[in-house]
Each structure stands twice: as structure tokens, then as C-alpha cells.
Amino acid sequence: MEFTAQQIAEFLKGTIEGSADVKVSSFSKIENGQAGSLTFLANPKYTEYIYETKASVVLVNSDFEPTKKVSATLIRVENSYSALAQLLELADSVINPKKEGIDSLAFISKSATVGEKSYIGTFAVIGENAKIGEGSQIYPHVCIGDNVQIGKNVTLYAGVTIYKNCKIGNNVIVHAGCVIGSDGFGFAPDEKGVYHKIPQLGNVVIEDDVEIGANTCIDRSSMDGSTVLHKGVKLDNLIQIAHNVTIGDNTVMAAQSGVAGSAQIGKRCMFGGQSGVVGHLSIADDTVLASRTAVSKTIRKPSILEGAPALPSYQYRKATVCYRNLPSMYEQIQKMQAEIDDLKNRK
């Protein structure tokens, strides 16, 4: 692919500073830019590189004010990072066009329905009464259980397993190895301490525009209701979502986060890697958890939290300073104790 700066600016509805005829055929980081590549500047800490980069075109925010000469052609847009995402999406659609057709080695139940322009890969299995929406991409070794409903333009990468009765909305992406609708962790001990499995009878509902990273597991609800991921939720790899959890619109979670059973997560929350929430809690909209934060109490208003147990960020940072000083504080206490003991002995 090769595009001129003019074509890119028209696509993004941006304005050009520099040569409109310069051509690009690849993407690069701003610090690694080469002739013929396109890059972007969104984070101010990378501003120094815009004066050094060899990239031919740089996407910048409309309010960017250079302090030195920039040799690259600039395309000013409202949000350079979002504009880059649009270009990458366009490039991906050209480089990796959607597949169509049903592989001869796929198994599809006679009672299942597959929408037009869909793709069903080798050794994929689609159960009874399952419904696959138009334009969906079902890659090899995907297993879709009985009565599963999948919307339009859904992509299920290799090895995804979706248990019976689950519902997937439109434009959902599920990466390799995910398990959706597995049993929640429910066991009841008897008087002898033997654990007996509690059957998990519910399902998982995933709304439109959700993306789920590789090897993430989402458990089905135990009895009533559903485990629900609302519209626009984005989950990273290796995340555990337990039974009866609800995650609000446009919440994002980084790798190895975990949410215990029946927790209610608000809208637009941000979870750092390895953060966790105890079961049956509620987390307010717009809450931010730093990496490795552990929440053990309900959060009733938007907060930025750190640590285990979670503290408001400013408190956690003060506590961290004290923690770092503990060895020297301990030495001081030992010396003071020795002096006190010496005074007592003298008396």
C-alpha cells in the first residue's frame, strides 16, 4: 500500500503542513521513523523526536506548536492517537481481508444457522440451534455450544470455546484460547468436609463492540441472571471474570486482573494489571485501579486507588515513603531502646 499525505489528510479530515505529495507505505514509532513511513505524536514526552524523526508524515494534534523546524510533513487532526487507530484499521482491512466460506472439515449441526459472508474454519464445531450472524469469522478449532447466539461481524480466533446458551453481540472480538461460559467456582462442603459441586445454570451475555484478550475466562452465572459484559468493554489477556459479575460500558482491564463472583463494576473504569476485586462489591463509574490494587470494600464514588488493600492514591504514596524508611526507623528505635535501657540500669 502507498498513500500520499493528501489522501491521508482527506481520509482523516485533517490539515496538511508541508508536502501534500509525499508518499508513505508503512507505519513506525516516532523515534524509529524512516523515509516512507507514517508516525504520530500524542504523548508530550516524545515531542523531542518530532524534530529528529526521519518519518515522512507525522500525525499531530491540532494544537501542537513546534518550537523548531520539522522536516516531516505534518497532518493536524483533533486526536492523533485516534487518527492512527483509524489508519491502522484501514490497513488491517486491506492486509487481512475477511474470509468467507465453510471449510469441509468444520462440523455444523443441522439445526444451526450461519449468516451470509461468514467464515467457518477447519475443525470448528457449531452446536445445535446455534446462530452465527452475517460476516462473522469463526477460526479453526473454535467450539460453539448448543443455543449460542452470535451477532454480526464477530471474530472468534482459534481455540475459543463458548459454552451453551451464551449470547454474543455484534462486532465482538474474542482472541485465541478464551473460554466463555465455563462453570463458576461453586462448591458446598458437607459435614465431613467433602466438597460437592453446585451446578451453574446461567449464561454469559456479551454486548456489542467488546474485545476479549487471549486465554481470558468468563464464568457463567450460577442460577438467575447472567454474567454480563456491557457495550465497549475491553479485556486484556489472562483475565478471570467470575460468575454473576457485571462490567459496565467501556470499562478496560489489563492483564491478569480478576473479579470475584457477583461484583458489580461500573462504567468507564480502568483496571491496571494484576488488580483484583473481592466478590459482591460495587465499584463506582470512572474508578481507576493502579496495577496490583486489591479492592476489598465497595467504592461508592469515582476514585483513583492503589495498593493492597486499596487506598486513595495520595495516601498510598505517602505510606510507600514511610515503608521505604522502615529499616532506618527500626535502627533508630533500637538505639533509643538501648539508651532507655542504659538509663534504667544506671538508676
Side-chain angles (χ1 to χ4, degrees):
M1 296 185 300
E2 190 174 70
F3 298 95
T4 65
Q6 182 65 44
Q7 290 172 317
I8 295 169
E10 289 175 357
F11 176 74
L12 297 174
K13 297 180 174 59
T15 58
I16 295 175
E17 290 183 15
S19 173
D21 297 324
V22 66
K23 296 179 179 180
V24 295
S25 58
S26 63
F27 297 91
S28 67
K29 295 180 180 179
I30 193 168
E31 63 268 35
N32 299 327
Q34 297 295 326
S37 71
L38 178 145
T39 188
F40 75 106
L41 175 64
N43 191 329
K45 73 178 184 180
Y46 290 95
T47 300
E48 63 182 282
Y49 292 110
I50 199 169
Y51 307 112
E52 304 170 2
T53 187
K54 296 178 182 178
S56 297
V57 175
V58 182
L59 303 178
V60 296
N61 293 337
S62 56
D63 60 357
F64 171 68
E65 294 292 342
T67 58
K68 292 186 287 186
K69 182 181 178 181
V70 179
S71 60
T73 292
L74 302 183
I75 298 180
R76 292 183 178 274
V77 291
E78 185 175 343
N79 184 316
S80 61
Y81 194 46
S82 177
L84 177 72
Q86 292 180 58
L87 291 178
L88 289 171
E89 185 177 0
L90 175 63
D92 183 60
S93 68
V94 176
I95 297 169
N96 302 304
K98 281 191 171 184
K99 298 182 178 183
E100 291 186 25
I102 299 174
D103 191 280
S104 60
L105 295 178
F107 174 80
I108 301 175
S109 171
K110 292 181 180 180
S111 59
T113 58
V114 178
E116 295 181 359
K117 299 182 179 180
S118 290
Y119 161 67
I120 311 295
T122 308
F123 300 123
V125 176
I126 300 177
E128 296 180 4
N129 299 310
K131 295 181 180 180
I132 311 298
E134 180 180 337
S136 289
Q137 307 280 288
I138 311 301
Y139 280 80
H141 295 280
V142 169
C143 182
I144 297 173
D146 297 344
N147 304 309
V148 168
Q149 296 180 29
I150 292 177
K152 298 178 181 179
N153 300 314
V154 170
T155 300
L156 305 181
Y157 284 105
V160 168
T161 299
I162 301 180
Y163 283 51
K164 63 184 180 181
N165 301 323
C166 292
K167 298 179 180 180
I168 311 294
N170 301 320
N171 308 313
V172 171
I173 299 173
V174 183
H175 288 277
C178 283
V179 178
I180 296 173
S182 51
D183 285 357
F185 193 66
F187 299 89
D190 62 19
E191 63 280 359
K192 297 180 181 179
V194 176
Y195 285 89
H196 299 274
K197 183 177 179 61
I198 300 174
Q200 307 288 290
L201 305 179
N203 71 344
V204 174
V205 174
I206 296 174
E207 295 185 351
D208 297 349
D209 305 316
V210 169
E211 182 160 352
I212 301 171
N215 293 318
T216 285
C217 297
I218 303 172
D219 294 343
R220 68 197 307 108
S221 57
S222 55
M223 292 180 287
D224 58 337
S226 304
T227 301
V228 182
L229 273 61
H230 285 291
K231 185 174 181 177
V233 167
K234 312 296 182 187
L235 302 184
D236 199 356
N237 305 326
L238 298 168
I239 286 176
Q240 163 66 23
I241 305 298
H243 56 201
N244 295 92
V245 166
T246 298
I247 301 179
D249 295 356
N250 300 310
T251 283
V252 295
M253 295 185 180
Q256 298 183 358
S257 294
V259 182
S262 299
Q264 308 295 303
I265 311 300
K267 301 176 182 178
R268 300 175 302 277
C269 294
M270 300 174 68
F271 283 28
Q274 296 185 332
S275 55
V277 176
V278 172
H280 300 273
L281 302 184
S282 295
I283 305 297
D285 296 348
D286 301 302
T287 293
V288 176
L289 305 185
S291 297
R292 295 189 174 184
T293 297
V295 179
S296 57
K297 296 181 180 180
T298 287
I299 308 300
R300 303 189 186 280
K301 60 182 181 180
S303 306
I304 300 176
L305 304 172
E306 295 185 57
L311 293 171
S313 183
Y314 70 93
Q315 288 186 10
Y316 174 79
R317 292 178 185 182
K318 288 181 178 180
T320 300
V321 172
C322 293
Y323 178 77
R324 289 175 180 172
N325 291 331
L326 282 179
S328 60
M329 292 169 64
Y330 177 75
E331 290 178 2
Q332 289 176 340
I333 292 171
Q334 290 292 90
K335 289 179 180 179
M336 290 170 63
Q337 185 63 52
E339 291 176 1
I340 292 170
D341 291 342
D342 183 56
L343 290 172
K344 287 181 177 179
N345 291 335
R346 288 181 182 181
K347 291 181 178 180

